Amino acid sequence: MVIIGAGPAGTTLGLMLQKQGVDCLILERQSRDYVLSRIRAGVLEWGSVEILERLGVAVRLHAEGHIHKGVSIGWAGSQVLDVDMLALTGKPMVAYGQTEIQKDLYDAADERGLPIVFEADVTLHGVDSDRPSVAYETHSGSELVHCRLVAGCDGYHGVSRITVPQEAKTEYEKSYPFGWMGILSETPPLPQLLYANNERGFALCSERNPMLSRYYVQCPLDDTVDEWPDERFWEELLARVPASAAERIVTGPSIEKSIAPLRSYVVEPMQWGNLYLAGDAAHIVPPTGAKGLNLALSDVHYLAEAMVASAGGDRSLLDGYSDRALQRVWSSVRFSWFMTMLLHRFPDQTPFEQKTQEKDLEYLASSVAAQTSMAEQYVGLPL
Ligand code: APR
Ligand code: PHB
């Protein structure tokens, strides 16, 4: 097998296949340091924790990750709802940065001799035929690899998805009219994740570890980082969260700052010939609900199972991979859309829409059934 992309999806898939005795090679466009320096979301569903445990890469996650029983939601200035996901579903979530997971995956790949070629310029050939091949070029020359199957785990900007011809795919897309301005600061985080819907816009308080906080505020799509000096960021964050949280937030200099647009995207089917897409190569979700990494892990869980079965001569799981994975993809795409719509202020929101959004939040606060519905989707539906 050849796996394109050594992000969380590709590296996890490689380790899963290797564990089952299936040979594979991973080709990554960027350098190892570049991949390890990307700052991404950091909340794991319990099912994702179990996937990483089964792979034997969860030791540091358990030692350093922070178990969260639930999340808080602030709205209408001072209202705060604590959704106790553990009590409602029996499952907690774990805060552990994707950067740390990526490091643990690469360390395991090193120890176990899983081959990953970095800084490889990849082209795919004949993936819709019985004899696919992958050509790649690195500083040390060109190679051509023949293989049975190709896994496209190369994110939204990779080569895999665009190799599938337009007439063989259907794309579903929704853009949201804002972005998230995010910072990291070496300050103690709030004890629990807090999402806030405020008339000035959405805000989120999250964490990476006991001395590293991650905060976000909703901002216009055309804003740049230069327009958000630290003082402006903190002022805006503190104005958007309920006073009870604002007085507990410890501010400090930012050590990283970036703006990301929000959008939902799905390509169907997630396979074409002998090419199988997984993770961001097949779908993007807005970060509200932290589903991106979790979906990447559930895709490769299904794909590894199917590839292992096919190595033993049974292709039925491979043939059904896309249908199976898309069930879970659409659940998370719908949930991330729902959380985004519930918690943000839209520039063109009418007074009617504003009233119904407020009612949604009041209903959530008053109904255990509504909180249970949110909780079971947030902690993750079963695989
Ligand atoms: N050839 C080889 N590798 C490529 C190519 C290419 N042409 N194009 C992109 N890549 C690599 C990228 O450099 C990246 O390291 O594929 C990898 C894809 O990794 P991610 O973007 O992290 O995607 P994925 O592994 O699916 O993980 C999804 O990451 O983007 C977040 O929110 C998302 O948390 C989710 C997770
Ligand atoms: C994060 O910690 O970066 C984070 C947490 C929750 C989200 C999105 C991002 O919904």
Side-chain angles (χ1 to χ4, degrees):
M1 320 273 167
V2 175
I3 299 172
I4 318 298
T11 322
T12 305
L13 178 64
L15 289 167
M16 286 171 161
L17 292 175
Q18 187 197 39
K19 191 161 181 240
Q20 300 294 322
V22 177
D23 274 348
C24 56
L25 169 69
I26 309 184
L27 302 173
E28 164 61 47
R29 178 165 61 188
Q30 303 290 351
S31 70
R32 179 181 176 125
D33 287 347
Y34 179 91
V35 177
L36 285 172
S37 66
R38 287 191 300 226
I39 310 282
R40 298 276 177 79
V43 180
L44 288 174
E45 296 175 357
W46 195 250
S48 299
V49 172
E50 288 175 337
I51 286 176
L52 298 170
E53 270 172 3
R54 282 197 293 274
L55 259 189
V57 292
V59 174
R60 209 160 61 91
L61 185 163
H62 283 305
E64 296 174 22
H66 184 187
I67 298 243
H68 278 287
K69 288 195 316 190
V71 302
S72 303
I73 296 178
W75 81 102
S78 58
Q79 299 293 314
V80 184
L81 165 68
D82 290 321
V83 185
D84 188 337
M85 314 242 173
L86 180 59
L88 293 166
T89 67
K91 291 185 216 151
M93 303 94 60
V94 177
Y96 188 62
Q98 181 171 319
T99 317
E100 303 308 317
I101 294 173
Q102 189 71 62
K103 184 170 183 311
D104 296 343
L105 293 169
Y106 281 171
D107 287 349
D110 289 347
E111 271 165 35
R112 301 173 193 181
L114 176 68
I116 307 179
V117 178
F118 290 93
E119 298 182 68
D121 186 9
V122 174
T123 39
L124 306 182
H125 301 281
V127 289
D128 57 334
S129 74
D130 288 343
R131 281 188 54 75
S133 59
V134 180
Y136 66 96
E137 240 182 88
T138 61
H139 302 307
S140 37
S142 321
E143 301 281 346
L144 181 70
V145 188
H146 295 282
C147 55
R148 236 169 21 87
L149 307 172
V150 178
C153 301
D154 48 351
Y156 184 76
H157 300 287
V159 286
S160 303
R161 190 176 51 88
I162 55 172
T163 299
V164 182
Q166 208 55 44
E167 61 276 14
K169 63 190 177 196
T170 306
E171 294 170 287
Y172 300 86
E173 189 157 17
K174 179 171 174 64
S175 305
Y176 304 89
F178 39 72
W180 279 14
M181 160 81 222
I183 70 159
L184 274 176
S185 81
E186 288 172 316
T187 48
L190 292 180
Q192 180 150 296
L193 246 74
L194 168 72
Y195 293 89
N197 176 329
N198 183 273
E199 61 187 1
R200 301 171 76 106
F202 167 89
L204 167 60
C205 307
S206 181
E207 63 145 312
R208 287 294 174 273
N209 65 49
M211 259 319 277
L212 192 57
S213 302
R214 180 79 169 145
Y215 294 103
Y216 300 93
V217 295
Q218 172 185 347
C219 67
L221 266 179
D222 50 8
D223 271 14
T224 61
V225 171
D226 295 340
E227 291 168 70
W228 284 92
D230 287 2
E231 308 74 60
R232 178 177 175 209
F233 182 89
W234 290 119
E235 194 182 306
E236 200 55 42
L237 179 79
L238 297 182
R240 292 183 188 194
V241 298
S244 55
E247 62 201 28
R248 300 180 65 181
I249 290 176
V250 183
T251 63
S254 66
I255 57 165
E256 197 270 347
K257 213 180 253 177
S258 53
I259 296 184
L262 271 71
R263 68 199 187 99
S264 306
Y265 171 88
V266 182
V267 64
E268 289 190 7
M270 288 169 60
Q271 64 195 78
W272 182 61
N274 281 308
L275 172 65
Y276 297 84
L277 304 178
D280 277 17
H283 40 72
I284 302 286
V285 289
T288 337
K291 290 293 174 210
L293 171 62
N294 292 294
L295 263 190
L297 294 178
S298 60
D299 285 353
V300 296
H301 166 81
Y302 297 137
L303 187 53
E305 221 171 72
M307 288 183 156
V308 170
S310 85
D314 175 4
R315 273 197 68 106
S316 59
L317 282 178
L318 263 188
D319 294 339
Y321 163 69
S322 175
D323 288 345
R324 192 176 178 205
L326 281 170
Q327 290 298 325
R328 208 160 189 287
V329 167
W330 276 108
S331 296
S332 294
V333 167
R334 195 214 69 84
F335 182 64
S336 312
W337 163 83
F338 161 79
M339 291 288 279
T340 303
M341 301 303 286
L342 181 70
L343 294 170
H344 290 79
R345 293 295 169 118
F346 288 73
D348 55 356
Q349 205 157 8
T350 63
F352 175 86
E353 287 162 340
Q354 181 53 38
K355 280 284 187 190
T356 55
Q357 193 192 52
E358 281 163 25
K359 198 67 214 166
D360 275 341
L361 286 160
E362 281 169 29
Y363 172 62
L364 180 67
S366 68
S367 161
V368 175
Q371 288 172 36
T372 306
S373 165
M374 173 180 281
E376 70 176 2
Q377 297 177 82
Y378 198 102
V379 301
L381 296 170
L383 286 171

